[in-house]
């Protein structure tokens, strides 16, 4: 069972803290197999906004966790507490995966964990992060950045995107989607999407893409083109591209490819269909095409992905072989 530790101290943002707690505290209904063991670690009773929290453990517990999450830091003009910075550094040295939500990136940067890496934080504070930590490659235009053992997110909703990304990495796409359904949030937004869109998204029933997107999702097995989507939406391809960029932060083709890959992940996790069959159902055409796009997007071939998540989903929650640090 993976241990997730929330590293807290006075001045943490309660929204990001509560968000991570909701994702990792309990498995959604219908999800079998082991879930995370969530612990809250802090120097003592801490205040987050108007809430007073009593941590489960001290900060010295962080090196024993598999994943350490640092929620948003309220006052980025202040230097993060030395004991928190040192505990985060020690956890990383012990092999833990370090994750910052929103301005929690300032804590990771203070610990030197972002030096030489690409990272992000809330767009309003990216300049401050870059100026204070010049060794960090700050990207102000993405939702989250995954460097493997160190991950950072932008603010608020992007913190949820990163938490779901972690569940997807650990438990697979279908489980991450189940968590998203429970929390009534979008199941996936790619980390490379823009932090904010050029115009507010109207109510779904009135948005120009409201009817198009469900229509596309029902036809992923077909070789759809931008022209097909534009024709269905009754607008020019250029106009369609502008609406996609404003609403999703990406292009129609990239959005379509992402949906095909996510559908392929679900099928690989939940069925015994061959890679050729999955390629056909997801509109990839051939297994070769699916393997190329899947490997580039997910980081592993479809067969490896299936073996990994089918094994995890079938493992005994009490099997110590699948447990990590206590």
């Amino acid at each position: 069972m993976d241990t997730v530790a929330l590293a807290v101290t006075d001045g943490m943002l309660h929204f990001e803290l509560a968000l991570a707690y909701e994702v990792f505290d309990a498995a959604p209904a219908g999800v079998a197999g082991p879930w995370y063991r969530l612990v809250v670690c802090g120097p003592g009773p801490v205040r987050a906004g108007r809430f007073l929290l009593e941590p489960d453990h001290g900060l010295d517990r962080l090196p024993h966790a598999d994943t350490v999450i640092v929620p948003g830091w309220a006052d980025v003009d202040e230097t993060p507490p030395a004991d928190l910075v040192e505990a985060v550094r020690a956890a990383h040295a012990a092999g833990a995966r370090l994750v910052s939500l929103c301005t929690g990136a300032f804590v990771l940067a203070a610990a030197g964990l972002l030096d030489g890496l690409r990272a992000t934080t809330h767009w309003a504070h990216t300049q401050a992060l870059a100026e204070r930590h010049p060794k960090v490659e700050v990207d102000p235009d993405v939702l989250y950045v995954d460097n493997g053992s160190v991950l950072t997110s932008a603010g608020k909703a992007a913190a949820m995107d990163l938490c779901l990304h972690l569940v997807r990495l650990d438990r697979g796409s279908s489980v991450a989607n189940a968590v998203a359904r429970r929390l009534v949030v979008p199941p996936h937004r790619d980390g490379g999407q823009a932090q904010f869109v050029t115009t507010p998204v109207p109510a779904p029933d009135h948005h120009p893409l409201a009817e198009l997107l469900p229509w596309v999702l029902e036809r992923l097995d077909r070789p759809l083109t931008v022209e097909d989507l534009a024709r269905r939406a009754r607008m020019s391809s250029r106009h369609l591209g502008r609406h996609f960029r404003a609403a999703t932060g990406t292009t129609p083709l990239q959005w379509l490819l992402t949906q095909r890959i996510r559908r392929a992940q679900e099928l690989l996790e939940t069925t015994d269909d061959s890679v050729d069959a999955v390629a056909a159902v997801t509109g990839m055409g051939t297994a070769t095409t699916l393997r190329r796009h899947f490997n580039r997007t997910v980081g592993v071939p479809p067969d490896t992905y299936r073996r990994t998540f089918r094994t995890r989903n079938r493992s005994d929650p009490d099997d110590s072989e699948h447990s990590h640090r206590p």
Side-chain angles (χ1 to χ4, degrees), residues 123-203:
W123 61 267
H125 302 292
T126 51
Q127 183 175 350
L129 182 63
E131 291 175 351
R132 196 170 307 164
H133 302 281
K135 293 182 180 180
V136 181
E137 182 187 343
V138 180
D139 190 338
D141 298 321
V142 295
L143 296 177
Y144 57 85
V145 177
D146 182 348
N147 288 300
S149 62
V150 181
L151 303 91
T152 56
S153 85
K156 306 302 180 184
M160 174 64 79
D161 292 319
L162 180 52
C163 288
L164 291 176
H165 174 68
L166 294 172
V167 175
R168 186 172 293 103
L169 290 174
D170 298 339
R171 300 292 190 268
S173 183
S174 61
V175 174
N177 290 346
V179 175
R181 283 194 297 272
R182 183 187 70 185
L183 300 177
V184 197
V185 297
H188 179 78
R189 291 197 300 169
D190 186 75
Q193 290 188 27
Q195 283 200 28
F196 55 92
V197 296
T198 54
T199 57
V201 178

Side-chain angles (χ1 to χ4, degrees):
M1 181 184 298
D2 296 330
T3 299
V4 174
L6 297 180
V8 301
T9 190
D10 285 334
M12 288 293 176
L13 298 173
H14 59 276
F15 181 88
E16 287 78 2
L17 177 63
L19 179 154
Y21 193 94
E22 280 293 322
V23 171
F24 296 104
D25 182 50
V31 172
W35 194 244
Y36 301 92
R37 179 173 183 264
L38 182 68
V39 294
V40 180
C41 301
V46 300
R47 186 167 294 280
R50 296 186 177 184
F51 300 95
L52 188 65
L53 304 175
E54 184 70 48
D56 304 309
H57 304 280
L59 290 173
D60 57 353
R61 176 75 172 184
L62 295 185
H64 300 282
D66 297 284
T67 298
V68 173
I69 297 179
V70 182
W73 178 248
D75 192 350
V76 297
D77 294 327
E78 295 289 332
T79 301
D83 56 349
L84 174 62
V85 172
E86 183 55 39
V88 165
R89 188 184 291 122
H92 183 260
R97 178 173 59 181
L98 270 294
V99 179
S100 68
L101 305 181
C102 192
T103 49
F106 283 81
V107 177
L108 300 193
L113 304 184
L114 301 181
D115 289 355
L117 298 179
R118 191 166 67 96
T120 194
T121 187
H122 190 289
W123 61 267
H125 302 292
T126 51
Q127 183 175 350
L129 182 63
E131 291 175 351
R132 196 170 307 164
H133 302 281
K135 293 182 180 180
V136 181
E137 182 187 343
V138 180
D139 190 338
D141 298 321
V142 295
L143 296 177
Y144 57 85
V145 177
D146 182 348
N147 288 300
S149 62
V150 181
L151 303 91
T152 56
S153 85
K156 306 302 180 184
M160 174 64 79
D161 292 319
L162 180 52
C163 288
L164 291 176
H165 174 68
L166 294 172
V167 175
R168 186 172 293 103
L169 290 174
D170 298 339
R171 300 292 190 268
S173 183
S174 61
V175 174
N177 290 346
V179 175
R181 283 194 297 272
R182 183 187 70 185
L183 300 177
V184 197
V185 297
H188 179 78
R189 291 197 300 169
D190 186 75
Q193 290 188 27
Q195 283 200 28
F196 55 92
V197 296
T198 54
T199 57
V201 178
D205 290 343
H206 304 291
H207 193 269
L209 304 182
E211 295 183 3
L212 177 64
L213 300 187
W215 181 86
V216 173
L217 293 177
E218 293 175 358
R219 293 164 176 79
L220 290 179
D221 58 325
R222 304 182 188 182
L224 297 171
T225 65
V226 174
E227 289 71 24
D228 294 330
L229 272 60
R231 189 178 306 111
R232 176 68 185 182
R234 298 183 182 87
M235 62 181 70
S236 68
S237 298
R238 180 174 296 182
H239 197 192
L240 178 73
R242 285 198 295 269
H243 278 300
F244 257 90
R245 177 64 68 179
T248 71
T250 190
T251 66
L253 281 182
Q254 185 57 52
W255 180 86
L256 180 58
L257 176 61
T258 298
Q259 308 317 307
R260 295 190 194 281
I261 294 296
R262 299 310 165 204
R263 179 58 177 153
Q265 287 179 292
E266 292 182 1
L267 293 173
L268 290 168
E269 294 170 27
T270 59
T271 75
D272 294 317
D273 294 348
S274 67
V275 175
D276 287 283
V278 172
V281 171
T282 57
M284 292 292 189
T286 66
T288 300
T289 300
L290 173 60
R291 286 191 173 96
R292 183 174 70 253
H293 287 294
F294 196 95
N295 200 2
R296 185 174 61 190
T297 302
V298 181
V300 295
D303 303 282
T304 302
Y305 183 89
R306 166 172 275 163
R307 285 195 300 271
T308 299
F309 287 106
R310 294 298 284 272
T311 299
R312 289 181 185 177
N313 290 341
R314 291 171 180 171
S315 62
D316 186 340
D318 295 324
D319 188 350
S320 60
E321 182 180 352
H322 295 284
S323 298
H324 300 288
R325 290 181 290 278

